[in-house]
């Protein structure tokens, strides 16, 4: 074989190795997902896999896992959207679905309100729907009105309240404290990026980031894995997230 032929063979071998399975796995891939109320575009970190579970999107690499999830209403506006949607179900004759949607209603203001305030908020509804199957239709409409009016009296969300709420709804980690938190703007969306670590050792770092979109809370969280592996993937995924503005 000539020297020119040897060169061609060598180049072909290099190209074949470069396009092998190991190389193709390292190429980042873009994707789109409907995460509950949020339409999100992302770039998958190199080597990671994506599992679409609707309101919860999982990103995995061996034992490491990140989660992107819709945690429901975060503001009074989000609560109002849920209540109006539940009332529309009731008016459409879907009483059971409507009642279930109201039963699942939650928000930071409700979770951390004094129990007397929560009782005051829910009493008109529970009085009207004590027996769901036999509830008087004439009382359900005013009960919806009372919930909607009660929502307006709840306090507005604050960064501290939202952070406490995210901590409560994600995997709680006893003995941890906030190392730092900062606001970051990613594709025109204002996120809160929070790092926590062990209160005692200042080790075992973890990260959570969240944004309020259309009154609903979208959260990216490190579920498990060594931070040296999950941290860079978290940064890359967070920086890629494009959240479409919620429909009015």
């Amino acid at each position: 074989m000539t020297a020119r032929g040897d060169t061609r063979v060598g180049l072909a071998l290099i190209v074949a190795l470069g396009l092998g399975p190991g190389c193709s796995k390292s190429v980042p891939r873009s994707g789109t997902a409907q995460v509950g109320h949020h339409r999100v575009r992302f770039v998958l970190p190199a080597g990671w896999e994506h599992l679409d579970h609707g309101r919860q999107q999982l990103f995995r690499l061996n034992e490491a896992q990140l989660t992107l999830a819709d945690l429901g209403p975060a503001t009074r506006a989000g609560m109002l959207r849920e209540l109006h949607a539940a009332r529309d179900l009731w008016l459409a004759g879907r009483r059971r679905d409507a009642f279930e949607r109201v039963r699942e209603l939650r928000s930071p203001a409700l979770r951390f309100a004094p129990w007397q305030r929560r009782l005051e908020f829910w009493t008109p509804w529970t009085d009207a729907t004590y027996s769901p199957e036999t509830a008087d239709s004439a009382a359900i409409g005013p009960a919806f009105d009372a919930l909607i009016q009660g929502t307006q009296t709840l306090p507005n969300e604050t960064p501290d309240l939202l952070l406490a709420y995210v901590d409560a709804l994600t995997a709680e980690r006893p003995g941890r404290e906030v190392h730092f938190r900062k606001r970051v703007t990613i594709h025109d969306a204002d996120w809160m990026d929070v790092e926590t670590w062990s209160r005692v050792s200042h080790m075992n770092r973890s990260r959570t980031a969240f944004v309020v979109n259309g009154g609903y809370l979208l959260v990216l969280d490190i579920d498990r894995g060594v931070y040296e592996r999950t941290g860079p993937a978290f940064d890359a995924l967070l920086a890629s997230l494009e959240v479409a503005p919620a429909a009015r």
Side-chain angles (χ1 to χ4, degrees):
M1 183 178 292
T2 65
R4 185 175 181 180
D6 289 342
T7 300
R8 288 176 177 174
V9 171
L11 289 174
L13 181 60
I14 291 172
V15 171
L17 290 174
L19 296 179
C23 181
S24 63
K25 289 182 180 178
S26 65
V27 178
R29 295 183 288 111
S30 60
T32 304
Q34 188 66 39
V35 191
H37 297 86
H38 314 277
R39 189 67 177 171
V40 182
R41 296 185 61 187
F42 60 88
V43 176
L44 191 65
W48 289 62
E49 64 173 333
H50 168 229
L51 302 174
D52 188 341
H53 290 178
R55 292 181 66 125
Q56 186 180 64
Q57 306 289 315
L58 305 181
F59 302 88
R60 289 177 179 168
L61 177 62
N62 301 324
E63 80 290 347
Q65 179 171 291
L66 311 179
T67 299
L68 181 66
D70 179 355
L71 296 188
T75 66
R76 291 188 297 184
M79 294 182 68
L80 287 173
R81 293 182 68 174
E82 285 296 295
L83 289 170
H84 284 296
R87 185 165 62 180
D88 288 343
L89 289 172
W90 171 63
L91 292 173
R94 298 170 56 187
R95 173 182 288 206
R96 182 172 298 179
D97 292 336
F99 285 13
E100 181 64 18
R101 192 148 187 169
V102 173
R103 188 185 69 82
E104 293 181 350
L105 183 68
R106 62 187 183 186
S107 77
L110 269 180
R111 184 180 184 97
F112 297 114
W115 70 266
Q116 299 93 333
R117 183 66 191 88
R118 293 197 303 272
L119 180 63
E120 179 183 345
F121 177 83
W122 285 114
T123 293
W125 179 258
T126 54
D127 285 350
T129 62
Y130 179 78
S131 177
E133 299 301 327
T134 61
D136 185 357
S137 293
I140 295 174
F144 268 117
D145 292 340
L147 286 179
I148 290 170
Q149 292 170 7
T151 298
Q152 299 304 306
T153 67
L154 294 173
N156 288 320
E157 74 286 350
T158 64
D160 287 340
L161 192 66
L162 286 171
L163 178 56
Y165 188 64
V166 170
D167 284 343
L169 293 188
T170 55
E172 296 186 4
R173 305 175 179 94
R176 301 189 65 81
E177 66 181 5
V178 173
H179 176 210
F180 76 78
R181 65 179 182 179
K182 63 181 179 180
R183 289 186 178 276
V184 291
T185 301
I186 303 170
H187 298 292
D188 298 324
D190 293 326
W191 290 76
M192 178 69 75
D193 183 6
V194 182
E195 179 178 305
T196 62
W197 59 9
S198 167
R199 183 179 296 113
V200 176
S201 67
H202 288 180
M203 299 176 64
N204 300 324
R205 296 160 63 194
S206 189
R207 292 274 291 287
T208 300
F210 58 88
V211 65
V212 176
N213 179 43
Y216 292 87
L217 193 59
L218 180 66
V219 178
L220 177 65
D221 187 50
I222 295 178
D223 277 345
R224 60 175 183 263
V226 179
Y227 188 77
E228 285 71 22
R229 172 170 290 178
T230 58
F234 182 96
D235 284 329
L237 183 58
L238 177 61
S240 77
L241 295 179
E242 296 184 53
V243 185
R248 296 293 181 181

